[in-house]
Amino acid sequence: MKMNHALRILAAGLLLGGCSSTTVSYGDATATETVTVDYGSSDLQAIADKMADSMLSSPATSEITAGGRPVMFMDSIRNKTSEHIDTEAITDTMRTKLLRSGKFRFVDMSKVTAVKQQLEYQQSSGMVDPAAMVRLGKQTGARYMVYGNLSSIVKDNGKVKDVYYQMTMNLMDLESGELQWADQKEIRKQAKTSTFGW
């Protein structure tokens, strides 16, 4: 009797709580992602590819790379949207594509503190062979800086949510302060809410 009662409670609990299972699978990393109108992986790929291709095909790039591979650094992209967006992923993807082109060299300004600490350790710890020590004051300075802004406009009337993203990128000559290249990429996404009534 107690066993039947326990089974009934267990069955009722399963019916009320429902059964769930999770299936994990790999997807195509380049496929268009349309889960929400929020900034996503497809937007990152579209922006980074467009900006890198535009810079590489620019007449200004042909001119500044004619004599060799200039050194540049990528500044952080300013996120001017209301979303929390990892803009470092855009700069990483774009920098990788520019490096693969063989036209540019880069310095990584985000690691200056770590590099400084390592160089100071080598110079003052007494634990590094002087013949293998990296000398201070030998780093290559960047001639060009790449920087940009990501902004958005969001409209929502309860039935349709429209999000417009705009990425603007610039290439500046640090010596002259002149902009050598600039471009922008726009993305618009919409989500429509359907309501069903009787």
Side-chain angles (χ1 to χ4, degrees):
M1 188 74 169
K2 286 183 179 179
M3 185 65 148
N4 284 341
H5 184 66
L7 287 173
R8 284 186 200 138
I9 291 174
L10 179 61
L14 288 173
L15 288 172
L16 290 173
C19 297
S20 65
S21 64
T22 302
T23 302
V24 177
S25 61
Y26 284 99
D28 182 358
T30 61
T32 302
E33 174 237 336
T34 56
V35 177
T36 68
V37 292
D38 296 333
Y39 178 88
S41 61
S42 297
D43 306 316
L44 184 154
Q45 292 166 350
I47 287 170
D49 285 347
K50 159 77 162 74
M51 292 302 177
D53 289 343
S54 174
M55 187 187 294
L56 289 170
S57 63
S58 165
T61 296
S62 299
E63 187 177 320
I64 66 177
T65 58
R69 296 171 61 215
V71 179
M72 44 182 26
F73 81 94
M74 295 199 77
D75 195 19
S76 300
I77 293 173
R78 289 180 58 204
N79 178 11
K80 298 168 75 176
T81 73
S82 58
E83 296 177 51
H84 174 72
I85 295 175
D86 179 12
T87 56
E88 190 176 340
I90 301 171
T91 57
D92 288 348
T93 303
M94 190 173 168
R95 183 176 53 228
T96 299
K97 189 162 187 175
L98 292 171
L99 268 171
R100 285 180 179 167
S101 75
K103 293 186 176 184
F104 300 102
R105 294 176 292 156
F106 281 88
V107 291
D108 189 350
M109 297 306 295
S110 68
K111 298 300 179 188
V112 168
T113 302
V115 170
K116 185 176 179 229
Q117 288 174 344
Q118 175 58 210
L119 292 176
E120 287 173 353
Y121 166 78
Q122 290 187 27
Q123 300 296 318
S124 61
S125 70
M127 299 179 69
V128 178
D129 180 353
M133 197 179 291
V134 174
R135 303 288 172 207
L136 291 170
K138 298 287 187 180
Q139 290 190 17
T140 302
R143 171 72 187 269
Y144 299 94
M145 175 174 71
V146 181
Y147 63 98
N149 297 307
L150 177 62
S151 57
S152 68
I153 299 172
V154 180
K155 301 285 186 182
D156 189 346
N157 67 5
K159 293 182 180 177
V160 178
K161 183 176 183 180
D162 183 274
V163 183
Y164 168 83
Y165 293 101
Q166 182 184 74
M167 169 65 84
T168 304
M169 296 293 292
N170 306 281
L171 173 64
M172 178 191 285
D173 184 329
L174 294 176
E175 187 172 74
S176 67
E178 295 177 353
L179 286 180
Q180 300 293 317
W181 164 86
D183 203 351
Q184 63 186 34
K185 168 71 177 173
E186 300 167 323
I187 295 172
R188 169 163 262 127
K189 300 169 86 173
Q190 281 191 346
K192 295 182 180 178
T193 303
S194 299
T195 56
F196 299 96
W198 297 97

